[in-house]
Amino acid sequence: MDETASTEAPRPNLAAVAALAGVSASTASLAFSGAGPVSDATKAKVLAAAAQLNYAGPDPRGQSLRRGRSGIVGVVLEDSVSEAFRDPMNIATLDGISDAIGPSGSALLLLTDNAEGPSSFRSVPIDAVVLIGCSTRLADAVHVFAQRGVPIVGIETEPMPSVLAVDLDNRLASRRLAEHLRDLGHRDVTMVTLSLDAPHARGWATPEWEARSEGYTASQRIAGVRDVFPASSAFVSSASTVDEGYRAALEVLASSERPTAIVAQSDLLAVGVIRAAQELGLAVPNDLSVVGFDGVRLDGIAPIDLTTMVQPAFAKGRAAGEGVLALLAGEAPAGQLFDSEFHLGATTAPPQSARTAHH
Amino acid sequence: MDETASTEAPRPNLAAVAALAGVSASTASLAFSGAGPVSDATKAKVLAAAAQLNYAGPDPRGQSLRRGRSGIVGVVLEDSVSEAFRDPMNIATLDGISDAIGPSGSALLLLTDNAEGPSSFRSVPIDAVVLIGCSTRLADAVHVFAQRGVPIVGIETEPMPSVLAVDLDNRLASRRLAEHLRDLGHRDVTMVTLSLDAPHARGWATPEWEARSEGYTASQRIAGVRDVFPASSAFVSSASTVDEGYRAALEVLASSERPTAIVAQSDLLAVGVIRAAQELGLAVPNDLSVVGFDGVRLDGIAPIDLTTMVQPAFAKGRAAGEGVLALLAGEAPAGQLFDSEFHLGATTAPPQSARTAHH
DNA sequence: CTGTTAGCGCGTTCAC
DNA sequence: GTGAACGCGCTAACAG
């Protein structure tokens, strides 16, 4: 009975409703949108006809075409949905965007980077798009959107013309962490970084690999640490998870020259690093200092007071959302740069050498 | 310079491109879609004209209207984005949906329940919609979608006509957990439940409250436990988080008649419960047995081997996605019921009374 | 292989 | 207050 329905009930039209109500289509339209002047009587007639025909109101597709707006804002994430949402920062950012554009009646469309699906970027009816920490290789997608006149906001993306930037002081913040470690007396610091490319490889960073990095944020944070420790090495993780931090730390701490401190590029990685250290019998911070990045609320994850840089993820999202609204309104908003805040936790201390020297 | 652009460069049309290329609009259309037979020569001409006009290809809004499809599948979540994604089960489900519909070239539109935003449900150009564990009060939204001919899939939603059900054996699974506790000798069991309504109140459940519950899943799980322990009381939490489990357990364990076991309706709640118990000096499972629900990978959260029911969240999502595709293809797929699997962890043991009795 | 015709469902003039 | 006419951008169906 749910078949093609043959000739019965061809989904009703505004025109059909208008005809039944004995008015013109435009009048019926006004009756629904409530915009123009329509007598209560005819309005009632139209609504009655609609009810009789089981008409649910104007077709959104027609409205989109006519208005030139779909009421949809795209959000481009790297990787799959689940991978992207494993990171609380992404969720907070998304929430911020949602919070900002919600009042305008727009909804968020999830677009993933990796998928070269048939209809991916090219054929999606979006009014604007937000890039969340996407890799460099999105350049062509950016071009398509720009050409189409779709406003683009980039959160922590490489600066590009036609992309409104909502950025974070990644380099400065990382430098700040490195300085903290240096001031404590550390000289031997190793990084555990976020992913550098799409295949999500894992392993020790090489100059070549770093050079062709597609991870803007990761590269910025590496640069910040290198500002202080130019020779520090880096182990590239494949994702921002506790598990990856754990795996990375096992390798880092097994290397012949064990560092006295590890700079993890996210709090989740840092938690994994600490777990690995403890498992290897290293006390944090006495045997090993660890710093993170993000300022995730770890309440539910681990009872650790991490030394880290707290970044305003929700505010970043809000700013991106407001940027979208401004661009859609035809304004020319300026990009924004957000600052992270240093949080001194209980995971950093002077290295053994410094302390033994003092004794 | 980003002004109204006055008369300059009125975003190019298919028609404009066709005109410049000296062909008809339909030919130009074919040149882009690649569908019909077009000589390479004219195709090149069209593409050249497009490049000259800086035309990025057919407007998705026009395509949507013409095809009657927007390539967008809506996903209705309760609460805000961040709240919904705090629960790993929702993420896994979303990932499953994404995985299933991705190949079809569709993308996911995030719709939140609470927002009565201007354009919310009524005016969104979606081809189908998936309800994820939404509260009962979505009934009218369901009506609108159904009226409009938008296929609806409901994951763990109250059975409704015109909604394709993807359900979980919540009641049976909860009964299974309760039986496990009963078999261990427990008689005094209290529940910590998921939220029962939109305001997300917290507190001891009353018969009236349970009766007007809008949380289908929560109610089913309560019923499952009551099948075994008819008199068991329930403390309603306001969300599925570790924090909420902690808060709930503090109240439950402070009550005059402390239970020997707690049935938490999610693993996150269970972890919070255990944390509270430990803080109160109660050993798990010796002083208190705790069971959860979901089978979340706790690796990154806590080193606890929880006794729980493992549910196939990703598979549920996949099934929902496949249901969407089938419905869009005009088929009449059957609803699905997924089974949870009992996992015996290390958080349950016979109650003190039983053990002391044996000695 | 290409052009012509005819809408898809709706919003917006501008007259009446 | 109302209705006729037109256009939004694209495409299926047919004719040539």
Side-chain angles (χ1 to χ4, degrees):
Chain A
M1 112 185 173
D2 211 18
E3 292 296 305
T4 42
S6 60
T7 55
E8 288 232 294
R11 202 156 297 292
N13 250 351
L14 220 207
V17 173
L20 201 165
V23 300
S24 78
S26 78
T27 302
S29 175
L30 293 183
F32 280 106
S33 69
V38 184
S39 74
D40 288 349
T42 49
K43 187 168 183 176
K45 259 198 307 188
V46 172
L47 262 41
Q52 187 180 333
L53 259 50
N54 198 31
Y55 176 72
D59 186 321
R61 281 176 283 261
Q63 299 186 125
S64 293
L65 177 58
R66 190 61 184 96
R67 296 203 225 273
R69 289 277 167 86
S70 62
I72 296 179
V73 175
V75 176
V76 180
L77 304 162
E78 32 184 3
D79 309 315
S80 69
V81 171
S82 71
E83 282 188 69
F85 291 165
R86 209 181 295 287
D87 187 341
M89 289 299 101
N90 281 339
I91 296 178
T93 303
L94 209 64
D95 197 37
I97 300 173
S98 172
D99 191 59
I101 71 165
S104 83
S106 297
L108 293 180
L109 185 70
L110 256 35
L111 298 170
T112 47
D113 182 356
N114 60 351
E116 329 79 356
S119 92
S120 54
F121 305 130
R122 206 162 220 91
S123 58
V124 174
I126 54 179
D127 297 337
V129 66
V130 179
L131 273 31
I132 300 192
C134 283
S135 55
T136 315
R137 75 199 129 91
L138 269 184
D140 50 344
V142 166
H143 181 64
V144 171
F145 287 134
Q147 201 174 348
R148 190 163 255 141
V150 174
I152 312 169
V153 176
I155 300 182
E156 288 182 60
T157 54
E158 201 157 20
M160 299 185 71
S162 76
V163 173
L164 177 63
V166 173
D167 213 342
L168 186 66
D169 61 341
N170 282 302
R171 181 166 187 166
L172 189 65
S174 296
R175 191 187 306 158
R176 181 90 181 71
L177 287 169
E179 286 167 350
H180 167 63
L181 291 172
R182 185 198 56 198
D183 294 347
L184 285 174
H186 292 273
R187 297 293 175 265
D188 223 350
V189 171
T190 296
M191 294 179 260
V192 172
T193 80
L194 298 171
S195 174
L196 288 189
D197 42 28
H200 290 305
R202 172 178 31 227
W204 286 102
T206 62
E208 300 75 40
W209 195 3
E210 291 185 26
R212 63 165 198 277
S213 161
E214 293 172 341
Y216 180 65
T217 299
S219 295
Q220 291 293 303
R221 293 187 186 171
I222 289 176
V225 171
R226 291 268 168 75
D227 285 341
V228 178
F229 300 107
S232 63
S233 56
F235 190 92
V236 181
S237 76
S238 72
S240 177
T241 64
V242 173
D243 224 55
E244 276 297 313
Y246 176 84
R247 297 184 61 161
L250 286 186
E251 298 237 22
V252 170
L253 297 175
S255 71
S256 56
E257 305 205 351
R258 170 184 300 167
T260 62
I262 289 182
V263 176
Q265 287 195 347
S266 82
D267 288 350
L268 295 184
L269 286 171
V271 170
V273 167
I274 292 172
R275 215 162 268 178
Q278 288 171 337
E279 202 158 287
L280 293 174
L282 297 173
V284 174
N286 283 346
D287 300 324
L288 180 75
S289 285
V290 178
V291 301
F293 203 113
D294 286 343
V296 167
R297 282 188 63 234
L298 291 172
D299 307 8
I301 299 178
I304 299 176
D305 182 19
L306 206 55
T307 295
T308 192
M309 296 297 298
V310 183
Q311 66 150 305
F314 183 83
K316 265 166 44 196
R318 265 206 73 90
E322 286 161 2
V324 164
L325 295 184
L327 288 170
L328 285 177
E331 301 164 16
Q336 289 202 47
L337 175 61
F338 283 86
D339 295 324
S340 311
E341 190 180 324
F342 180 74
H343 169 77
L344 177 59
T347 58
T348 47
Q352 288 286 3
S353 58
R355 270 172 288 142
T356 50
H358 278 291
H359 285 307
Chain B
M1 113 185 173
D2 211 18
E3 290 297 304
T4 43
S6 60
T7 55
E8 289 232 295
R11 202 156 297 293
N13 246 353
L14 219 207
V17 173
L20 202 165
V23 299
S24 77
S26 78
T27 302
S29 174
L30 292 182
F32 280 105
S33 69
V38 183
S39 75
D40 287 350
T42 48
K43 186 168 184 175
K45 260 197 307 188
V46 172
L47 261 42
Q52 187 179 335
L53 260 50
N54 199 30
Y55 177 72
D59 186 321
R61 282 175 282 260
Q63 297 186 122
S64 293
L65 177 57
R66 191 61 184 95
R67 297 203 223 274
R69 288 277 166 87
S70 62
I72 296 179
V73 175
V75 176
V76 179
L77 305 161
E78 33 184 1
D79 308 316
S80 70
V81 171
S82 71
E83 282 188 69
F85 290 167
R86 210 181 294 288
D87 187 342
M89 289 299 102
N90 281 338
I91 296 179
T93 302
L94 209 63
D95 197 37
I97 300 173
S98 172
D99 191 59
I101 70 164
S104 82
S106 297
L108 293 181
L109 186 70
L110 256 35
L111 298 171
T112 46
D113 181 357
N114 59 351
E116 330 77 354
S119 93
S120 55
F121 305 130
R122 204 162 220 93
S123 58
V124 173
I126 54 179
D127 297 337
V129 66
V130 179
L131 272 32
I132 300 192
C134 283
S135 55
T136 316
R137 75 201 129 92
L138 269 184
D140 50 345
V142 166
H143 181 64
V144 171
F145 288 134
Q147 200 175 346
R148 189 163 254 141
V150 174
I152 311 169
V153 176
I155 300 182
E156 288 183 61
T157 54
E158 200 157 21
M160 298 184 71
S162 77
V163 173
L164 178 63
V166 173
D167 213 342
L168 186 67
D169 61 341
N170 282 303
R171 180 164 187 166
L172 189 64
S174 295
R175 190 187 306 157
R176 181 90 181 67
L177 287 169
E179 285 167 350
H180 167 64
L181 291 173
R182 185 197 55 197
D183 292 349
L184 285 174
H186 291 275
R187 297 292 175 268
D188 223 349
V189 171
T190 296
M191 294 178 260
V192 172
T193 80
L194 298 170
S195 173
L196 289 188
D197 42 27
H200 289 306
R202 173 177 30 225
W204 287 103
T206 62
E208 300 76 39
W209 196 1
E210 291 186 25
R212 64 165 199 274
S213 161
E214 292 172 341
Y216 179 66
T217 298
S219 295
Q220 290 293 304
R221 294 186 185 170
I222 289 176
V225 171
R226 291 268 169 74
D227 285 342
V228 178
F229 299 107
S232 63
S233 55
F235 189 92
V236 181
S237 76
S238 73
S240 177
T241 66
V242 174
D243 225 54
E244 275 297 312
Y246 176 84
R247 298 184 61 161
L250 286 186
E251 297 239 24
V252 170
L253 297 175
S255 71
S256 57
E257 304 204 351
R258 171 184 299 168
T260 62
I262 290 182
V263 176
Q265 287 196 346
S266 82
D267 288 350
L268 295 183
L269 286 172
V271 170
V273 167
I274 291 172
R275 215 161 269 177
Q278 289 171 336
E279 202 157 287
L280 292 175
L282 296 173
V284 174
N286 283 347
D287 299 325
L288 180 75
S289 285
V290 179
V291 301
F293 202 114
D294 285 343
V296 167
R297 280 188 65 237
L298 291 173
D299 308 9
I301 300 179
I304 298 176
D305 182 20
L306 206 55
T307 295
T308 192
M309 296 297 299
V310 183
Q311 66 150 306
F314 183 83
K316 264 166 45 196
R318 265 205 74 90
E322 287 162 1
V324 164
L325 295 183
L327 288 171
L328 285 177
E331 302 164 16
Q336 290 201 46
L337 175 62
F338 284 85
D339 294 324
S340 311
E341 191 181 324
F342 180 75
H343 169 77
L344 176 59
T347 57
T348 47
Q352 287 288 1
S353 58
R355 270 174 287 142
T356 51
H358 278 291
H359 283 306

